Amino acid sequence: MAVRLDDAAVTRGQRPRLAKAEPTSVPAGADPRALADDLADDLAEELAGTPAGEPSEGLADDLAELPPGDLADEPAAEPGVNVDELLAYPQLLHHLPTPLAREAGDALLARLARLEPGTAQHSYVRGLLVELNLPMVRHAAGRYRRRGEPVEDIVQVGTIGLIKAIDRYEADRGSSFMAYAMPTIIGEIKRFFRDTSWSVRVPRRLRELRTELLRATDELTATLGRTPTPRELAERIGITEEEVVEGLDACTVYTATSLDETAYGDAEGQETVGDRLGAEDHELDLVEYREALRPLLAELPGRERAILVMRFYGNLTQAQIGERVGISQMHVSRLLARTLASLRERLMVPG
C-alpha cells in the first residue's frame, strides 16, 4: 500500500501530514483490523532507518518534485499570536489568555511604532491597545473606589493615562509596557483627585496631613477600639494638637454637602441642611445702642417718654399723639425734635 506525504504541509514548514491513500476496493469480507495492520507495516517500512532530522526516502522523493526555491522563499510559521489576524478579528482580544495577551500587546506596540501618527491605521491599532489594556486600568481604578467618586469616572481618567502611556512608550528603553503604563495611569488618577475632588482648595501641606490623619485614625481605632482623640493622633504622627485640629478641619472641606439634603437626625425628612444654617441678624447691630439709650430714656420727663413710646412703638401719628396727650400736633412735633436731639447729643458723648 503506497502512502504519500502532503506537499503543502512541507512547503509551509509545518509538521508533514500523511495524505489520504487513494480509495481502493475492499474485498468483501475483508477484516478492517488486518487492513490497518498492513498500513502500519507499510509506514514502518517507509520510515524505518531514517536518522533524526533527515527525510525518509519517500519524503525525499516528494521534496525533489517541488519547484526550486519554494522552501527558501516561504517563511516558517511564527509561533504565538498573529497581528494581522488580531487586526482582522479584534474580538479575539477578549479570549486571549494572559501570556498571549501580553505577547499580543507587544506585537501591537511594535506595529504601532511603524505606523504614521494621525492615520486611520494608527488610530485603529491604538484603539485595540487601549481595549486590550482596559483590565489594567480597572485594576488601578479599584484602588480609589472609596474616594467618593463614581468608579466609571475614575476608569475614564485612568484611560486617559493609558492613552498617554501608549503614545509615549518606547520599547527600546528595555522596560515592559506594564511597568511603564501603571505609574502613568495612577498618576493621572491622583492628579484628577488633586485638582477636582476638593470642594475648597487647601494647601498641599494640609492635604498630605489629611492623608496621614486618616491612616493614623484607622490604625488607632483598630488598636483602641474607639475613635482616637486629637492628643493621641498628635503623639502617633509626631505633631502638635493644633496641627491635628487644623488637619481635621481640612478634612471637612474635601466634599461639599447640598443645602437641599435632608438634615441629619430629621426623622421625617422635612428639614434640610439649608434650613439649619444661620442668617445675618441685623438687630444685633442695634443692641449696643439700645443698652446705651436705656438709662437716658429713664431720665426723660414722663410726657416726653410717653410721646416717644407712642410714636416709635405704637406707630401713632403726631395728630393722634396730640389728641391723647392734649396738645396740638405742632407742639408734639417740637417736643419730638427737641427730645431726639437731646438723646442724640448725650449718646455721642464719651462715657
Side-chain angles (χ1 to χ4, degrees), residues 155-171:
V155 170
Q156 291 183 8
V157 175
T159 305
I160 296 175
L162 173 62
I163 296 174
K164 292 181 178 179
I166 293 175
D167 293 338
R168 301 171 184 173
Y169 176 69
E170 297 178 3

Side-chain angles (χ1 to χ4, degrees), residues 174-314:
S175 62
S176 64
F177 176 73
M178 181 177 294
Y180 176 80
M182 184 60 77
T184 307
I185 295 171
I186 294 178
E188 194 70 24
I189 294 175
K190 287 183 177 180
R191 190 178 300 108
F192 165 74
F193 283 105
R194 182 192 65 190
D195 296 339
T196 62
S197 296
W198 289 83
S199 301
V200 178
R201 185 171 294 277
V202 298
R204 183 188 183 98
R205 174 182 61 85
L206 292 180
R207 294 201 300 267
E208 295 175 351
L209 179 59
R210 172 187 175 273
T211 304
E212 295 182 6
L213 287 174
L214 292 177
R215 187 186 306 110
T217 301
D218 293 340
E219 294 175 355
L220 290 176
T221 301
T223 303
L224 303 176
R226 56 175 175 81
T227 303
T229 62
R231 176 177 298 181
E232 293 170 342
L233 289 173
E235 295 175 354
R236 179 78 174 190
I237 302 178
I239 58 178
T240 62
E241 291 189 41
E242 289 76 11
E243 292 175 328
V244 171
V245 173
E246 187 179 11
L248 293 176
D249 290 340
C251 295
T252 61
V253 300
Y254 183 73
T255 56
T257 303
S258 174
L259 296 179
D260 297 329
E261 185 177 347
T262 303
Y264 178 75
D266 187 8
E268 299 180 358
Q270 302 287 335
E271 191 175 22
T272 63
V273 176
D275 296 334
R276 293 192 175 186
L277 294 179
E280 184 179 1
D281 189 359
H282 299 284
E283 297 294 329
L284 293 176
D285 298 335
L286 304 177
V287 172
E288 182 180 358
Y289 296 104
R290 287 178 179 177
E291 294 300 322
L293 281 172
R294 191 182 300 276
L296 300 181
L297 292 175
E299 297 175 1
L300 290 177
R303 187 175 63 174
E304 284 78 354
R305 187 166 59 250
I307 291 175
L308 289 177
V309 171
M310 286 185 289
R311 179 67 185 92
F312 294 101
Y313 291 93

Side-chain angles (χ1 to χ4, degrees), residues 1 3 18 36-50 56:
M1 180 180 295
V3 179
L18 296 177
D37 294 339
D38 294 339
L39 176 60
D41 294 338
D42 292 340
L43 288 176
E45 294 175 0
E46 181 76 21
L47 300 177
T50 302
S56 63

